[in-house]
């Protein structure tokens, strides 16, 4: 199927009453906006956040605008697999089906740090933590109503070439802040597509989507360091960046619309004057099934080792 597009905005979002949705990274930026809009339309929303105080502030703002909003805040540190499992255990103990899991949290431009689980921190936050969370919550998603897992990608996966090697997730011998971020975004696309393949093969009713907000003005970009990088980001914000209220639309589209398609890369094109949400064919490295398998096995190895060390 060739590239196609949709004209879609918040007015087209269907009623979310009766749905239970988890949004990671919902204490600011795109995640906070998604939580607000989903709650406004009746969903029960769990804000899965690292900073609980900031998360509570977002929840309070949502309740102030809609007193009957059902929002909760849960602590999760995606770079710590023990924290991920603890969050998942709390959700499991509630014994409530999950209708959508939006894997929104992300970091970029981070200095080289290896987590306690032996994983480079950007890759841990953007990929491994979400991988583990999805696996632990899959039984609750299976009980949901046409449940969805939404991964947040980036056009960088097909625009920037980097060496991708998942044999060592500590990235000990080859690390740069930007390179680690790009690799994490390539991995996010591979994860979403491989998850969809595995769900279909198992006969699951859960679906896996990949969407991207384009370049949006979010707090994550405040971490850019260096004169050159800051200058490039300033030019990008001036020419192609979208405001977060617009950037979030493709993510909400795939989380709620019956027209969203799996196996596609859904989001904005570069021109911010183009207000269509595009559903593009997966290209380039995203089609590398062998690489997806290598990544999956590498992550399963480190998460299994971490669980054995508990």
């Amino acid at each position: 199927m060739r590239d196609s597009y949709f004209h879609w905005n918040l007015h087209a979002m269907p009623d979310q009453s009766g749905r239970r949705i988890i949004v990671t990274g919902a204490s600011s930026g795109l995640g906070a906006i998604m939580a607000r809009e989903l709650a406004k339309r009746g969903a029960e929303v769990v804000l899965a956040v690292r900073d609980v105080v900031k998360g509570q502030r977002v929840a309070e703002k949502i309740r102030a605008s809609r007193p009957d909003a059902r929002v909760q805040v849960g602590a999760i540190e995606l770079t710590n697999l023990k924290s991920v499992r603890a969050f998942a255990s709390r959700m499991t103990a509630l014994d409530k089906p999950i209708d959508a899991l939006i894997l929104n949290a992300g970091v970029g431009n981070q200095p080289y740090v290896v987590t306690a689980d032996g994983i480079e921190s950007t890759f841990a936050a953007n990929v491994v933590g979400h991988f583990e969370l999805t696996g632990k919550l899959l039984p609750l998603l299976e009980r949901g109503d046409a449940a969805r897992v939404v991964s947040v990608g980036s056009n960088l996966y097909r625009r920037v070439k980097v060496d991708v090697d998942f044999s060592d997730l500590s990235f000990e011998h080859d690390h740069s802040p930007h390179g680690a971020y790009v690799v994490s975004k390539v991995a996010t696309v591979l994860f979403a597509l491989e998850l969809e393949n595995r769900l279909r093969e198992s006969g699951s009713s859960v679906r896996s989507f990949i969407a991207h907000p384009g370049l949006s003005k979010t707090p994550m970009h405040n971490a850019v360091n260096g004169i050159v990088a800051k200058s490039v980001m300033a030019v990008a914000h001036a020419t192609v960046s979208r405001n977060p209220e617009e950037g979030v639309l493709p993510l909400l589209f795939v989380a709620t619309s019956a027209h969203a398609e799996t196996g596609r890369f859904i989001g904005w094109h570069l021109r911010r004057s183009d207000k269509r949400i595009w559903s593009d064919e997966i290209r380039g490295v995203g089609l590398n099934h062998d690489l997806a398998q290598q990544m999956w096995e590498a992550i399963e190895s480190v998460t299994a080792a971490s669980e054995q060390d508990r």
Side-chain angles (χ1 to χ4, degrees):
M1 180 179 176
R2 300 173 61 184
D3 295 353
S4 57
Y5 60 82
F6 300 90
H7 293 286
W8 193 90
N9 56 36
L10 291 177
H11 297 296
M13 187 192 298
D15 181 65
Q16 297 298 296
S17 298
R19 298 187 81 209
R20 190 163 192 263
I21 300 175
I22 296 176
V23 184
T24 68
S27 62
S28 65
L30 302 178
I33 297 171
M34 279 190 281
R36 181 193 72 201
E37 295 302 326
L38 291 165
K40 282 172 62 177
R41 282 155 185 79
E44 177 184 352
V45 184
V46 180
L47 285 66
V49 299
R50 180 176 56 183
D51 188 329
V52 173
V53 173
K54 288 178 65 176
Q56 292 289 5
R57 290 188 192 127
V58 172
E60 289 166 7
K61 287 182 180 179
I62 293 172
R63 295 187 192 103
S65 63
R66 178 166 175 157
D68 63 341
R70 296 181 299 156
V71 289
Q72 306 160 28
V73 178
I76 186 170
E77 173 51 76
L78 288 163
T79 61
N80 184 314
L81 290 172
K82 181 178 180 181
S83 173
V84 173
R85 295 182 190 116
F87 175 87
S89 293
R90 293 193 297 273
M91 294 300 103
T92 301
L94 293 174
D95 197 31
K96 294 182 178 180
I98 298 171
D99 300 292
L101 173 60
I102 304 178
L103 307 175
N104 164 76
V107 298
N109 302 293
Q110 301 295 302
Y112 182 63
V113 174
V114 176
T115 71
D117 302 298
I119 308 162
E120 188 275 331
S121 60
T122 298
F123 196 83
N126 294 357
V127 185
V128 179
H130 281 149
F131 180 102
E132 184 75 346
L133 180 64
T134 302
K136 294 299 185 186
L137 294 181
L138 193 56
L140 295 178
L141 286 160
E142 296 281 5
R143 291 168 50 194
D145 181 14
R148 305 179 178 202
V149 178
V150 178
S151 296
V152 179
S154 167
N155 264 314
L156 291 173
Y157 99 88
R158 59 188 181 187
R159 298 186 188 281
V160 178
K161 303 298 182 185
V162 294
D163 291 328
V164 181
D165 180 8
F166 298 118
S167 62
D168 178 12
L169 299 187
S170 71
F171 298 174
E172 180 181 2
H173 302 294
D174 184 19
H175 180 271
S176 71
H178 181 66
Y181 178 73
V182 176
V183 169
S184 78
K185 286 299 156 182
V186 171
T188 297
V189 174
L190 294 173
F191 165 70
L193 296 172
E194 183 65 14
L195 176 62
E196 175 65 8
N197 289 338
R198 291 175 181 239
L199 289 169
R200 286 186 180 274
E201 287 175 0
S202 69
S204 173
S205 61
V206 181
R207 297 275 69 89
S208 170
F209 296 82
I210 180 76
H212 71 98
L215 182 61
S216 297
K217 297 176 181 177
T218 63
M220 186 183 73
H221 298 301
N222 296 337
V224 172
N225 293 312
I227 295 174
V228 174
K230 287 181 178 294
S231 298
V232 170
M233 187 58 66
V235 171
H237 281 325
T239 56
V240 299
S241 285
R242 299 175 189 265
N243 67 62
E245 297 283 345
E246 185 173 70
V248 79
L249 293 180
L251 312 182
L252 288 170
F253 172 74
V254 299
T256 65
S257 174
H259 299 294
E261 305 157 288
T262 63
R264 309 282 290 179
F265 193 60
I266 299 176
W268 299 116
H269 274 198
L270 193 60
R271 291 194 323 275
R272 63 185 177 194
S273 60
D274 188 342
K275 304 300 183 182
R276 296 169 292 183
I277 295 177
W278 285 85
S279 176
D280 294 345
E281 291 182 312
I282 300 295
R283 297 180 170 88
V285 69
L287 298 172
N288 192 330
H289 181 65
D290 289 340
L291 187 61
Q293 294 271 41
Q294 181 202 36
M295 179 205 70
W296 196 279
E297 291 170 5
I299 296 176
E300 279 190 330
S301 178
V302 297
T303 56
S306 168
E307 195 152 23
Q308 288 174 358
D309 291 340
R310 289 193 298 181

